[in-house]
Amino acid sequence: MRTSFSRIAWVLVVLGLIAGIFHALIDDPATNDVIYLAATILLAVGVVAGLATHRPSVATWSFVLAIAVFSTTAQILDGAGDGTALRIATEAGFLAVQLTLAAALLIVTVRRSGASLVRSLGDGLIVALGTWILIWVLLIQPSIDAIVEPNIVTGLRGVTLATSTVVLFLLVSLLFSDANRTPAVWLLSGAITLSLVGDLLYALDKSGHLSVGTRYGNAPYVTSLFLAAATFLHPSVRGLSQRGSIRLRRPVLGRLVLTTLALIVPLVVVSTMDPQDRLDRVVRTVSLFVLAAAVTARVIQAVRDNARSQAVLVELAQTDPLTQLPNRNLMLDHISDALEQSWRADRRPTVLFIDVDRFKNINDSLGHGTGDDVLLAVARRLRNTIPERAQVGRISGDEFVVLDPSSRTTGDAMQLAERVLAAFHEPLQVSQGDVFVSASIGVALGSPSGSVTAEELLRNADTAMYRAKDAGRNCIAVFDDSMLERVTQRLSIETALYRALERRELRLVHQPIIDIQLGDVIGFEALMRWEQEDGTTVSPAEFIPIAEETGTIVPIGAWALLEALSHLREWIDRGVCPESASMSVNVSPRQLHDPNFTSAVNEALTRSRIRPQQLWLEVTEGVMIAEPDQALATLRRLNALGVRVAIDDFGTGYSSLSLLQRFPIQRLKIDRAFISGIADDVSARSLVKTIIAMADALGLDTVAEGVESIRQLQSLADLRCAKAQGFLISHPVHPDAMESTLAALERFTNWPKLR
Ligand code: C2E
Ligand code: MG
Ligand code: MG
């Protein structure tokens, strides 16, 4: 249906062109009348059919109706005779058509392009006035002298022509400004342009300037009627007065050319052609004066518009669109100002860097909509908490900054920070209900010497905030210079770590684990070492967390698995250790969340030909707390293979008994912290006793970590701890040194008997 209507519309365009040419070529008034009548009927049919099918807006309807009534009346009157009253009525009819057309176009232009009405009217007025002056000087004034027609008729026709120019102007600005020029827009533009050509020919003919003749004069009208019919039949007429898609470019050039021409051309004509009489002079002066006034008004309005849009742009560039708080740039400006002022007033401006803890979890679990609500609530809370003199801004995502320009001491700064931290203790109200969040706050103070810049101060507060996060979140950290060193050091480790694996800077050392009752070495723990190019060694306690954070732990961990199992294979093959010895490998949470982890384990087992039962994976309690479901699934899968799981550093984390029960684990490694006091400290001893009893109840194996003295080992034996590792037995050693190490350990084989 849509396609057939659009096809008919384009056929009408072709037919319209043919009909127009025919009308101009055939020198037979009777035939021409038939063509004209046919075109008029066609338009009527097209309008009715188009409006009924496509149902454009009421505005379109009423304008079409008005134009139809006015133009039909004018046509009938035109043919009725030559009396002055009739001629005036005819001209008034044509003027009414143009005025209606101008109004309709104005509305369409404004609606489609979103341009302001005043602006479009202003430009239209300038063009119309300019044209009016031209028409007056070139058409009306000469015909007054020639007395071809009554003055009022000529005047009316002049106004009609001036209005036509407005119509033309609006049409051009519609085409210039429209991002989405639909066929209806093009067809309508064609129809109106052709009818304007007809109007001009008609005016020239009537004022005696040019003898055109109906044959040529009506030809443009004929084609125009066809095009108008096509406009209404085309399906895109429905969207004619709807807002187009967002404009990509403003119609600046087109408007500028037209309005400038409308100014210059009449000025040139007026200044080169002398006024004929007083009336001419008066009309010219008044017209030029009105034109000048219109231009001035338009210029003032344009300047104001410009200032307003500049203000909006500045505002947009400096505020955060979500919370309407100052953004990073503006906050930096404020900090800069505060630092400048502080120099004189002996103050130390404070910057608080506030990061909402675990905001990602809120976003992931409650959705981004709620995330935004939470940020808005945080912004409100902060605004209500800080004193009047302070300012709050949103730097990015979940990061906010508070600036107190008038604090003097660290005490002042801490007071404010504590106030802000406490503000988070109350739940935030969002549409989905109450949400509890906490924040980590970094505090940095401007230096008394005034040497610190705004960027530095903000970065210092940011650094301190990270320290607060490290310290367990929901707390405050005050910046000091050592933090910066740590950051720089961390950064250099981060970069070097990326290359460590390919540069073969990583290696594994192993610490034997003994069976306390038998004294035999039953397994080993693989521990990673990183020796950098320049000979410096970095402790795993330092680089493993960084590798974990950056994700490099995934390839490094996979390498460690294969390497450790290969060492074990070699020792077994060489008879260094018994066939059944096990290998413990430390695994980070990030590795457990890697979907390829299970296959990495499998591959290491296959390539080293070690049975899964000989591999222990050591995970910390943290694994059970953060995202337990995913870790649980991975551990279950590995358990199913036969691989066993140990909880490392047991007792230092926060795992609950229920988690212990839920997780597929087979061993607890009691943290060194409990072992060190076991020989002398009664409470440490009873703690270890409890842990062992609990492990027994759950059917778990126990390993004591960090055994350093024979008395500790003795106590562990008394408490029936199954296994032990520590410096007493052996430091972690290079794989090549394992043979001699184990030989030296023979003495432990005898120690239970010596007791
Ligand atoms: P961990 O798994 O608890 O390893 C035991 C740590 O205690 C080792 O430190 C070991 O050298 C040390 N240690 C052993 N016996 C004694 C003792 O009697 N006294 C004292 N004071 N310390 C003892 P290391 O090698 O510096 O490793 C630190 C941590 O780094 C490990 O703690 C483990 O969590 C992590 N780590 C080491 N290698 C790897 C690895 O390959 N992958 C992963 N993900 N983490 C690793
Ligand atoms: Mg370990
Ligand atoms: Mg440990």
Side-chain angles (χ1 to χ4, degrees), residues 525 586 618 648 669 705:
E525 175 173 6
N586 294 287
E618 296 193 0
D648 205 351
K669 294 190 77 174
E705 291 189 276

Side-chain angles (χ1 to χ4, degrees), residues 48 135 147 238 246 271 325 335 618-619 635:
V48 172
I135 292 169
I147 325 182
R238 178 185 286 189
I246 295 193
S271 52
L325 289 177
I335 298 172
E618 296 193 0
V619 299
L635 292 180

Side-chain angles (χ1 to χ4, degrees), residues 463-482:
T463 307
M465 186 279 290
Y466 270 103
R467 175 57 69 85
K469 285 249 184 250
D470 278 349
R473 302 185 165 97
N474 189 20
C475 62
I476 300 166
V478 182
F479 176 82
D480 68 65
D481 288 332
S482 71

Side-chain angles (χ1 to χ4, degrees), residues 327-378:
N327 65 7
R328 185 188 183 87
N329 288 339
L330 189 54
M331 276 320 272
L332 277 172
D333 282 353
H334 287 325
I335 298 172
S336 238
D337 290 348
L339 285 173
E340 222 163 86
Q341 304 292 328
S342 72
W343 207 64
R344 269 173 256 140
D346 188 29
R347 286 186 181 136
R348 298 188 65 193
T350 301
V351 172
L352 305 185
F353 203 105
I354 303 155
D355 187 285
V356 180
D357 293 333
R358 303 208 168 85
F359 181 71
K360 197 177 165 294
N361 284 359
I362 297 180
N363 253 348
D364 290 350
S365 50
L366 301 176
H368 287 260
T370 311
D372 283 354
D373 284 353
V374 168
L375 290 176
L376 279 168
V378 168

